[in-house]
Amino acid sequence: MLTSVKNEKVKSWRKLKKKKERDMEGKFLIEGYHLIEEAIKSDWKIEEIIYQTGSDIETDWKQCTLHEVTDNVMMAITETKNPQGVLAVVHKKEINSAKISRALLIDRVQDPGNVGTMIRTADAAGFDAVILGDGTVDLYNDKVIRATQGSLFHMDIYQANLKDSIDQLQQQGVTVWSTGLSNAAYYHDLAIPDKVAIIVGNEGDGVSPEIMEQADQNVKIPIYGKAESLNVSIAAAVLMYATVKKA
């Protein structure tokens, strides 16, 4: 049992709260029974599982390295106010999406709840990939991970330069839609492309002009009430579900 927050192993876990350390180590932390089970079911490599004294251990966790820790150590590692008492160290995956017919591109969205919710919705809508552009919150931020509710482990999600990604998608025959008001058509007035990528942008500024210019079509969502705009994750959900090709 690990009892001290000064233990070197505990220190290494705490460092993973920082993006710089996650990038250097190629690892990240997840919290809670559901996320650990989703990671195991999705064949992500779990390096070790950390559990608080008295917490239940699932049978399939015994294939992993287990570390029991005291309450004070768990509180030093966890990022949640009411932790479930279980965490895991997971290795990042190298993602290379060669074939994409549905993708969500996220430009400089900084709220982790929004990004995690969009990833979860993209998974639910059957999208192939989510591409996080420069300036977007880190995928492995603890709040992003929690908001994905495990969808992080179900689909291809990666950080990339959006200009390069748009070029590559267009070369593959993917039609790129950008959200925005300039020269935009209402999404419901357009034919749904066989392959489509949707770009959504920063909560305050929207999609950057240079990214928007690369799109094949700018689209907008009608506002019937007095609200000035929709939350970016809601707008993304409307457009992703609107472009789903029913079997």
Side-chain angles (χ1 to χ4, degrees):
M1 184 191 300
L2 300 179
T3 61
S4 173
V5 296
K6 296 182 180 179
N7 179 280
E8 289 303 314
K9 175 63 77 173
V10 176
K11 287 181 180 179
S12 71
W13 295 333
R14 296 183 72 183
K15 286 180 180 179
L16 293 178
K17 295 181 180 183
K18 298 180 180 178
K19 182 181 185 301
K20 179 181 177 182
E21 293 294 331
R22 294 193 294 266
D23 290 344
M24 287 177 56
E25 296 294 328
K27 304 171 189 174
F28 61 100
L29 285 172
I30 59 174
E31 292 191 39
Y33 289 92
H34 175 67
L35 285 175
I36 293 174
E37 286 301 318
E38 289 297 313
I40 291 173
K41 287 192 296 184
S42 303
D43 293 325
W44 281 58
K45 183 180 178 183
I46 293 181
E47 179 164 302
E48 49 202 352
I49 293 176
I50 307 145
Y51 67 97
Q52 189 172 342
T53 301
S55 298
D56 294 330
I57 302 300
E58 302 293 334
T59 302
D60 56 353
W61 294 6
K62 294 179 181 178
Q63 62 184 307
C64 306
T65 300
L66 298 173
H67 296 282
E68 182 179 3
V69 301
T70 53
D71 296 359
N72 66 307
V73 171
M74 178 58 66
M75 292 306 298
I77 305 166
T78 186
E79 295 278 12
T80 57
K81 292 182 179 179
N82 299 300
Q84 295 182 29
V86 290
L87 300 95
V89 177
V90 184
H91 286 258
K92 294 182 181 181
K93 268 189 178 182
E94 288 294 326
I95 303 296
N96 181 21
S97 287
K99 296 180 180 179
I100 294 177
S101 60
R102 291 284 186 278
L104 179 69
L105 280 60
I106 301 178
D107 177 32
R108 299 173 299 121
V109 174
Q110 297 170 352
D111 182 88
N114 282 336
V115 172
T117 298
M118 287 190 284
I119 290 170
R120 183 180 180 183
T121 307
D123 181 19
F127 271 47
D128 305 307
V130 175
I131 303 173
L132 308 179
D134 299 333
T136 295
V137 65
D138 182 33
L139 171 61
Y140 302 103
N141 173 290
D142 69 291
K143 292 180 181 177
V144 174
I145 292 172
R146 289 202 300 273
T148 71
Q149 285 291 303
S151 290
L152 160 69
F153 304 116
H154 301 162
M155 58 189 309
D156 290 346
I157 309 166
Y158 54 97
Q159 183 94 27
N161 180 282
L162 290 190
K163 289 185 177 182
D164 294 341
S165 297
I166 292 167
D167 283 340
Q168 292 165 5
L169 289 167
Q170 289 171 330
Q171 289 169 16
Q172 295 172 24
V174 178
T175 299
V176 178
W177 283 6
S178 173
T179 54
L181 299 178
S182 177
N183 298 316
Y186 287 116
Y187 76 91
H188 52 65
D189 290 335
L190 299 170
I192 304 302
D194 290 332
K195 298 180 179 180
V196 65
I198 298 167
I199 312 171
V200 294
N202 177 269
E203 291 88 345
D205 300 332
V207 177
S208 61
E210 59 269 25
I211 296 294
M212 198 181 298
E213 285 178 6
Q214 283 186 272
D216 299 298
Q217 176 69 57
N218 291 346
V219 298
K220 57 185 178 179
I221 298 170
I223 301 291
Y224 299 112
K226 295 182 180 180
E228 291 185 358
S229 62
L230 290 171
N231 170 276
V232 64
S233 63
I234 298 297
V238 169
L239 294 173
M240 283 192 283
Y241 269 91
T243 59
V244 170
K245 287 285 189 179
K246 296 179 181 179

